[in-house]
Amino acid sequence: MITRRLQPTLEHLLDNYPAVALLGPRQAGKTTLAQDIAAQRPAIYLDLESTADQAKLQHAELYLADHQDKLVILDEVQRAPGLFQNLRGLIDQGRRQGLRTGRFLLLGSASIELLQQSSETLAGRISYLELTPFDALELAVEQTETLWLRGGFPDSILARNDAISLKWRQDFIRTYLERDIPQLGPRIPAETLRRFWSMLAHNQGELLNAAKLAAALGVDGKTIARYLDLLVDLLLVRRLKPWHSNSGKRLVKSPKTYVRDSGIAHALLGIGDKEALLGHPVCGKSWEGFVIENCLSVAPQHTEASFYRSSAGAECDLLLTFPDQTTWAIEIKRSLSPSLQKGFYFAQEDIQPAQSFLVYPGTETYSIAEGVKAIGLIAMLSLIAGKS
């Protein structure tokens, strides 16, 4: 069993809030983590995809009131949006009886419905936490390259070999397209959405060109925006926004897009092993997306992420603005002898970051230029996690 780095944070929130929503894509390990929490305190677990558990909640307020002395874990809670009104009443009633914390743990696949319902009815009563698939700090150092190839979903990274891992990811993609997304309501043909998702993988780390994607799929720009919003809301795709400042510089305004899990991106591209990955044109951008996702998975809550690009050629892959308002500039290279381009130095002058780094696949940390350190991924993640 691999201990999730997020577990102490989740336990702390449960000790301080009546309800906590743990959001993340399917199969990221939410249920396993919740059951680990349940083993340490009185709790009951209800899976809202189970017919039997759905039946228990036909009279939800009565049933849940009988278990007010326990932590109630509701899995796939977005399938029962009507529950949120009941939860608000139970939380307020419990507060009057001195039951102020640790009442409900809501697990959801980050659907739009879950976010809207909870924000409307549980404001001031709920805290949100995102569980990503495994990151590099949760695994052994020697597993980092395998993590990049297979991605962080537990069943993929822990598979016996690359072929089994690839098959699991292909099945995961098919299940999402044919079963999970239709259950959320959108009427989108599975094959169309697969093509769109695959196009995003081919364009990993590139500026979003909605017109180009729309022409390739034979749809309009609004439809592309709807498809992208859906995959972003399901935590399957990241839309990295451009940095904005009042400097008067002409800055790029389009976001970059990344398929968040590198293993899913590789499965969409038919990449099954490391040799195929290293020889594929997407290799560099795949590594870039992998580093960005790992950096954001360990960053403190409320850290702002962006990239920088100006019409004058200034460019930086990742800017992290921490809650204390300090900004770190991070350039990413898939090379054991990395070098910086002029664009990064221009970006440094424009942004004036507190610290600057170049992340590369090696392990040594050294100064590569004045004010810039070359650093391995694990060391970089440890520094970012230390900002918490």
Side-chain angles (χ1 to χ4, degrees), residues 161-179:
N161 56 52
D162 289 344
I164 294 173
S165 170
L166 178 61
K167 178 66 167 61
W168 182 89
R169 282 175 276 138
Q170 290 170 335
D171 290 342
F172 173 89
I173 292 166
R174 185 178 302 113
T175 300
Y176 244 112
L177 293 171
E178 297 176 359
R179 174 180 172 272

Side-chain angles (χ1 to χ4, degrees), residues 307-322:
F307 71 95
Y308 188 86
R309 186 178 293 183
S310 75
S311 59
E315 189 170 357
C316 178
D317 293 329
L318 178 64
L319 296 172
L320 294 179
T321 301
F322 297 103

Side-chain angles (χ1 to χ4, degrees), residues 3-318:
T3 301
R4 299 309 303 263
R5 191 174 36 77
L6 205 66
Q7 184 163 338
T9 304
L10 177 56
E11 291 173 342
H12 173 75
L13 291 177
L14 285 170
D15 290 338
N16 287 276
Y17 284 86
V20 178
L22 183 64
L23 306 176
R26 279 185 169 276
Q27 304 297 321
K30 300 186 298 295
T31 302
T32 301
L33 177 55
Q35 289 173 340
D36 287 345
I37 298 286
Q40 301 169 23
R41 60 180 77 194
I44 60 168
Y45 171 83
L46 298 172
D47 181 1
L48 299 185
E49 290 192 323
S50 160
T51 305
D53 286 348
Q54 287 175 5
K56 293 177 184 177
L57 293 174
Q58 282 187 344
H59 302 286
E61 199 153 348
L62 292 174
Y63 179 84
L64 295 174
D66 287 341
H67 298 282
Q68 62 180 3
D69 57 336
K70 301 182 182 72
L71 171 66
V72 178
I73 301 169
L74 299 170
D75 204 348
E76 297 300 335
V77 71
Q78 74 276 356
R79 300 209 179 282
L83 269 180
F84 290 106
Q85 193 67 40
N86 297 121
L87 296 184
R88 184 176 68 174
L90 289 166
I91 288 171
D92 291 345
Q93 181 182 337
R95 281 174 166 172
R96 291 191 289 271
Q97 298 172 6
L99 303 171
R100 306 189 65 83
T101 62
R103 300 288 309 283
F104 301 101
L105 175 55
L106 315 178
L107 311 182
S109 301
S111 72
I112 305 161
E113 288 86 350
L114 173 64
L115 296 176
Q116 288 178 339
Q117 288 286 337
S118 57
S119 62
E120 289 171 4
T121 61
L122 295 180
R125 305 168 180 85
I126 189 168
S127 180
Y128 297 99
L129 202 57
E130 181 187 334
L131 182 71
T132 65
F134 286 129
D135 61 55
L137 286 187
E138 293 177 310
L139 301 171
V141 174
E142 58 270 18
Q143 291 179 285
T144 302
E145 293 285 295
T146 303
L147 179 64
W148 173 39
L149 170 66
R150 298 184 181 183
F153 285 96
D155 287 338
S156 179
I157 182 65
L158 300 175
R160 289 198 307 275
N161 56 52
D162 289 344
I164 294 173
S165 170
L166 178 61
K167 178 66 167 61
W168 182 89
R169 282 175 276 138
Q170 290 170 335
D171 290 342
F172 173 89
I173 292 166
R174 185 178 302 113
T175 300
Y176 244 112
L177 293 171
E178 297 176 359
R179 174 180 172 272
D180 294 333
I181 290 176
Q183 287 184 345
L184 294 173
R187 298 282 186 256
I188 302 173
E191 187 54 38
T192 302
L193 196 57
R194 173 189 284 277
R195 287 177 59 204
F196 176 67
W197 204 354
S198 298
M199 287 176 186
L200 293 180
H202 278 284
N203 292 287
Q204 185 83 328
E206 301 292 345
L207 294 175
L208 176 64
N209 187 333
K212 180 181 175 182
L213 293 170
L217 284 176
V219 297
D220 59 25
K222 289 183 179 178
T223 301
I224 290 296
R226 184 163 59 91
Y227 291 176
L228 182 60
D229 286 344
L230 176 62
L231 293 177
V232 168
D233 283 327
L234 292 173
L235 301 178
L236 298 171
V237 168
R238 181 173 298 281
R239 187 166 36 202
L240 189 65
K241 65 183 181 181
W243 166 279
H244 290 295
S245 70
N246 298 319
S247 63
K249 305 276 184 182
R250 291 181 60 193
L251 303 179
V252 166
K253 295 182 179 179
S254 296
K256 286 184 178 181
T257 57
Y258 296 88
V259 176
R260 290 185 57 167
D261 183 76
S262 58
I264 297 300
H266 299 156
L268 288 164
L269 297 171
I271 299 171
D273 57 47
K274 190 175 177 183
E275 289 302 312
L277 174 57
L278 295 177
H280 198 283
V282 83
C283 178
K285 288 296 186 180
S286 170
W287 172 255
E288 180 182 311
F290 174 69
V291 171
I292 288 172
E293 283 306 312
N294 274 268
C295 288
L296 295 181
S297 73
V298 304
Q301 278 193 295
H302 311 300
T303 296
E304 293 286 329
S306 58
F307 71 95
Y308 188 86
R309 186 178 293 183
S310 75
S311 59
E315 189 170 357
C316 178
D317 293 329
L318 178 64

Side-chain angles (χ1 to χ4, degrees), residues 319-345:
L319 296 172
L320 294 179
T321 301
F322 297 103
D324 63 5
Q325 295 307 302
T326 59
T327 297
W328 288 5
I330 300 173
E331 188 72 359
I332 302 163
K333 300 289 185 185
R334 178 68 195 180
S335 170
L336 290 175
S337 52
S339 60
L340 290 167
Q341 307 297 319
K342 286 184 179 179
F344 183 75
Y345 296 114

